[in-house]
Amino acid sequence: MARRNRTPASPLPQRDGVDAVRVRLPADPGGRYGTVGEHLAARYGPAAGAHRIGEMVLEGRFVTAEGRAITAATPYTPGLHVWFHRDVPPEPPVPFPVGVVHRDERIVVADKPHFLATTPRGGHVRETALARLRRDLGLPSLQPAHRLDRLTAGLVLFVVRPADRGAYQRLFAERRVRKEYEAVAAYDPALRLPRTVRSRIEKERGVLRAYEVPGAPPNSETLVELAARGGGLAGYRLVPATGRTHQLRVHMSALGLPLLYDPLYGRDACAGGSAPGEAGDDYHSPLQLLAKRLEFTDPLTGEEHRFTSGLRLAHRPGR
């Protein structure tokens, strides 16, 4: 059986904890591209501007696996790997630290604050938990085993060695991790708890909000328990059995209890769901959702792990 070709290592070092972008040139049966630069301009020009891509080629910003700079005359070669660091506009710093709950030679368990993305995406590149931890801990190969929404705070598991990442990712894919969240929302005395919420949640690419599909086979499940109440609010313990995008926020909203300060599923959210952060994050009103506990059996050592976040929600009803 033929072995698959391995992706070459990046010839470019990280910048501020951020990897270079890798591009593998696709097949071009129609002979559309004469040079690598023509393909890069067609691929990235709509977002960055064809003129800017041309400037980056002239500046030697695109390189091959051997570290050789792509020039304006480099011929198009299907299958060629090209790396570059994209232009990153200034990002407003998220004024909260990333805590470290646990660190050993295999894993890092971080306490991610509200408003900080887990990994680079969209306009959040340097201001992410991954980039910060790589820089602060001196671990350039660090990778997440799973992700938390940018607006959700709490525990995130990172893997130190790339070769180990798959084993820890499978824990989450195979539902062998127990996750427990704390949340704050309105109190409804008519709602009987605890209860298990099951539904089918879908999310379309490019659309911010996820949605439930009535009557469809469920693909998500959350146990909802009342933890405390007072002042018209309640603290809830949420235990998801699955990990759909925005699952906890969708399920609580469906119960008529949208999470406090939820900009997408709250009572005051617009139907289209304006993007959080478009007009600047309100650091005084973070989404009241916290990934509080993480429990699993280490797939490499067999050790039982139980981690608890040191963060607290701003509103703690009944406490």
Side-chain angles (χ1 to χ4, degrees), residues 47-58:
H51 178 69
R52 178 58 189 144
I53 299 302
E55 290 179 336
M56 292 174 66
V57 171
L58 294 177

Side-chain angles (χ1 to χ4, degrees), residues 2-69:
R3 296 180 61 184
R4 296 179 61 184
N5 293 330
R6 299 183 62 180
T7 301
S10 172
L12 297 176
Q14 291 176 354
R15 288 184 179 175
D16 294 324
V18 180
D19 292 322
V21 177
R22 178 180 62 85
V23 182
R24 186 175 186 272
L25 304 188
D28 184 26
R32 178 183 177 186
Y33 307 114
T35 66
V36 175
E38 291 176 0
H39 171 76
L40 294 173
R43 184 167 185 162
Y44 296 108
H51 178 69
R52 178 58 189 144
I53 299 302
E55 290 179 336
M56 292 174 66
V57 171
L58 294 177
E59 294 166 2
R61 295 272 299 275
F62 298 95
V63 302
T64 65
E66 295 76 29
R68 291 195 297 267

Side-chain angles (χ1 to χ4, degrees), residues 252-267:
M252 290 298 286
S253 182
L255 291 175
L257 301 173
L259 301 185
L260 197 61
Y261 306 135
D262 192 331
L264 288 181
Y265 304 97
R267 291 189 173 91

Side-chain angles (χ1 to χ4, degrees), residues 1-318:
M1 182 176 178
R3 296 180 61 184
R4 296 179 61 184
N5 293 330
R6 299 183 62 180
T7 301
S10 172
L12 297 176
Q14 291 176 354
R15 288 184 179 175
D16 294 324
V18 180
D19 292 322
V21 177
R22 178 180 62 85
V23 182
R24 186 175 186 272
L25 304 188
D28 184 26
R32 178 183 177 186
Y33 307 114
T35 66
V36 175
E38 291 176 0
H39 171 76
L40 294 173
R43 184 167 185 162
Y44 296 108
H51 178 69
R52 178 58 189 144
I53 299 302
E55 290 179 336
M56 292 174 66
V57 171
L58 294 177
E59 294 166 2
R61 295 272 299 275
F62 298 95
V63 302
T64 65
E66 295 76 29
R68 291 195 297 267
I70 297 295
T71 70
T74 302
Y76 188 86
T77 306
L80 181 70
H81 292 274
V82 177
W83 281 263
F84 69 99
H85 282 287
R86 64 187 177 113
D87 292 333
V88 179
E91 299 174 52
V94 176
F96 308 112
V98 181
V100 175
V101 174
H102 173 86
R103 177 183 178 182
D104 60 34
E105 69 275 13
R106 298 175 306 281
I107 61 174
V108 171
V109 180
D111 235 351
K112 186 188 80 66
H114 292 102
F115 303 106
L116 190 70
T118 301
T119 58
R121 183 176 182 182
H124 307 283
V125 181
R126 294 190 181 96
E127 280 297 299
T128 61
L130 178 62
R132 283 197 191 179
L133 290 169
R134 282 175 168 178
R135 297 192 303 261
D136 296 347
L137 302 181
L139 296 174
S141 297
L142 196 70
Q143 292 288 347
H146 66 123
R147 289 172 174 80
L148 282 185
D149 291 341
R150 188 177 74 89
L151 298 185
T152 303
L155 300 177
V156 185
L157 174 65
F158 292 86
V159 183
V160 175
R161 299 180 294 218
D164 296 341
R165 189 185 185 195
Y168 290 96
Q169 285 181 314
R170 284 192 292 275
L171 290 177
F172 292 88
E174 297 171 1
R175 304 180 187 177
R176 290 187 284 137
V177 178
R178 187 181 188 276
K179 297 175 286 183
E180 183 179 309
Y181 291 71
E182 291 183 353
V184 176
Y187 173 63
D188 181 359
L191 185 66
R192 299 188 63 180
L193 296 176
R195 70 166 57 194
T196 298
V197 182
R198 299 182 181 89
S199 69
R200 183 163 198 87
I201 296 177
E202 299 290 348
K203 188 178 184 302
E204 299 174 8
R205 186 178 182 86
V207 179
L208 293 175
R209 289 168 57 112
Y211 61 92
E212 291 183 307
V213 182
N219 63 359
S220 62
E221 178 180 316
T222 304
L223 173 64
V224 180
E225 299 177 334
L226 181 66
R229 64 184 178 90
L233 295 175
Y236 297 91
R237 183 180 300 108
L238 309 179
V239 183
T242 55
R244 311 300 299 185
T245 299
H246 295 178
Q247 175 178 318
L248 303 181
R249 298 163 70 181
V250 170
H251 280 169
M252 290 298 286
S253 182
L255 291 175
L257 301 173
L259 301 185
L260 197 61
Y261 306 135
D262 192 331
L264 288 181
Y265 304 97
R267 291 189 173 91
D268 296 329
C270 64
S274 60
E278 283 182 347
D281 290 316
D282 183 356
Y283 296 135
H284 298 290
S285 302
L287 173 71
Q288 293 298 281
L289 182 61
L290 171 66
K292 188 65 175 181
R293 294 179 180 81
L294 199 63
E295 300 179 5
F296 60 91
T297 301
D298 194 295
L300 301 182
T301 67
E303 181 181 357
E304 296 294 331
H305 289 303
R306 294 179 178 85
F307 302 113
T308 301
S309 171
L311 299 175
R312 293 187 175 187
L313 295 176
H315 296 268
R316 295 167 65 78

